[in-house]
Amino acid sequence: MKIYLINGSNRKKYNTAQLLDATAEGITDELEKQDKEAELEIINLYNLNYTGCKSCLHCKKIDGKYYGTCPIKDDLNKLLPKLWNSDAIIFGSPIYFGNVTGQMRSFLERLIFPKYVYGGETLANPKPTAFIYNMNVTEEYSNQMYADSIYNSVEGYIEYAFGKPYSLKSYDTYQFNDYSLYKHGFNVEAKEKQKKEQFPKDLEEAYNIGTQIVRDIFGK
Ligand SMILES: Cc1cc2nc3c(=O)[nH]c(=O)nc-3n(C[C@H](O)[C@H](O)[C@H](O)COP(=O)(O)O)c2cc1C
């Protein structure tokens, strides 16, 4: 059994990383509770060199050597088959300019397009998945400005490939370690309140997604 957590932020100790760590903790605790074993691996996308899909279309070529897979020789080359064959994938990304990070989008192109069949069913194995977002804006702003467009687009492709993902949005997150050192227009008191009162609840939800994913894998 192998479960992957994908960090789409460059920052290894901030919001995305903490939310994914909470999910990993939920997974570990539930595995222990059920007396089951699975290996967990965190992939930091910003540590890898890769591009998005290059539209070479080898993955769609009938009887081609690369049908259903990807011929690009970069840091995703060995990783993608491991993800396709894994038992669960949890994606985490900040929102950058109203979408998941560019690094995450390029990664999703490479992960999903080879398994995408025009007018047909996915070539990928179904598996439990989750997408955990975090962002500067408040829930109200996200509802007004982003509506469900970002989330539906990202999750729609994940659902097509692997099955419907669990979804968690952590709003109004703490961006700077010390707001006094940077130029910004945020209400620091409100940010601190959110960090103290709401973020721990988001971590708890992320933890619960981890426990649920283990239950889904082992059918409990
Ligand atoms: C280039 C860039 C663009 C961003 N664009 C947005 C945005 O459009 N909406 C938003 O809510 N936050 C935006 N943010 C803020 C991040 O989403 C937020 O700080 C997030 O918590 C960062 O995640 P991390 O702490 O895991 O790195 C942006 C940050 C950067 C660096």
Side-chain angles (χ1 to χ4, degrees):
M1 289 284 167
K2 181 95 192 207
I3 301 173
Y4 285 92
L5 299 114
I6 313 290
N7 184 354
S9 165
N10 178 52
R11 309 200 293 175
K12 314 292 189 291
K13 292 198 175 1
Y14 277 79
N15 300 286
T16 312
Q18 288 175 35
L19 288 158
L20 289 175
D21 283 349
T23 309
E25 206 183 311
I27 291 169
T28 307
D29 285 357
E30 186 64 23
L31 284 169
E32 205 179 302
K33 197 168 144 199
Q34 292 199 27
D35 201 16
K36 302 277 193 220
E37 282 186 16
E39 199 186 326
L40 263 69
E41 189 171 341
I42 296 182
I43 304 288
N44 287 297
L45 293 183
Y46 282 81
N47 288 356
L48 305 177
N49 278 315
Y50 61 91
T51 66
C53 172
K54 295 182 177 177
S55 195
C56 68
L57 303 179
H58 280 287
C59 61
K60 315 263 170 275
K61 193 151 191 211
I62 299 160
D63 296 333
K65 184 175 167 194
Y66 294 106
Y67 184 76
T69 180
C70 179
I72 301 176
K73 303 277 181 287
D74 61 14
D75 286 356
L76 292 188
N77 188 256
K78 289 207 170 74
L79 178 62
L80 292 175
K82 291 184 194 168
L83 291 162
W84 292 326
N85 293 325
S86 69
D87 298 285
I89 310 175
I90 297 98
F91 305 87
S93 179
I95 296 298
Y96 279 9
F97 295 161
N99 213 308
V100 297
T101 59
Q103 202 84 355
M104 176 58 83
R105 283 192 70 82
S106 294
F107 169 75
L108 288 173
E109 288 170 12
R110 294 283 299 285
L111 180 71
I112 294 175
F113 195 63
K115 301 298 181 192
Y116 189 91
V117 180
Y118 286 111
E121 282 187 19
T122 178
L123 299 173
N125 301 326
K127 59 184 94 281
T129 56
F131 209 107
I132 300 178
Y133 313 85
N134 76 93
M135 64 204 86
N136 241 337
V137 299
T138 59
E139 182 168 6
E140 293 70 36
Y141 184 100
S142 168
N143 287 342
Q144 244 174 33
M145 299 300 289
Y146 304 155
D148 281 331
S149 60
I150 317 165
Y151 317 115
N152 284 347
S153 141
V154 169
E155 291 170 30
Y157 286 102
I158 292 172
E159 180 172 4
Y160 166 85
F162 307 116
K164 193 168 176 54
Y166 295 105
S167 178
L168 168 60
K169 300 169 194 93
S170 179
Y171 303 103
D172 205 2
T173 44
Y174 212 75
Q175 186 172 23
F176 302 101
N177 52 5
D178 181 348
Y179 277 77
S180 69
L181 301 178
Y182 300 89
K183 186 152 175 64
H184 66 84
F186 296 106
N187 175 339
V188 180
E189 247 176 61
K191 280 278 178 197
E192 274 165 0
K193 187 165 186 279
Q194 183 78 1
K195 185 183 176 187
K196 207 165 144 222
E197 293 175 11
Q198 183 56 44
F199 195 63
K201 293 182 191 157
D202 297 342
L203 291 175
E204 206 176 307
E205 254 197 78
Y207 177 96
N208 291 338
I209 285 177
T211 60
Q212 187 57 51
I213 280 185
V214 173
R215 288 190 207 120
D216 291 349
I217 294 174
F218 294 103
K220 289 206 179 173

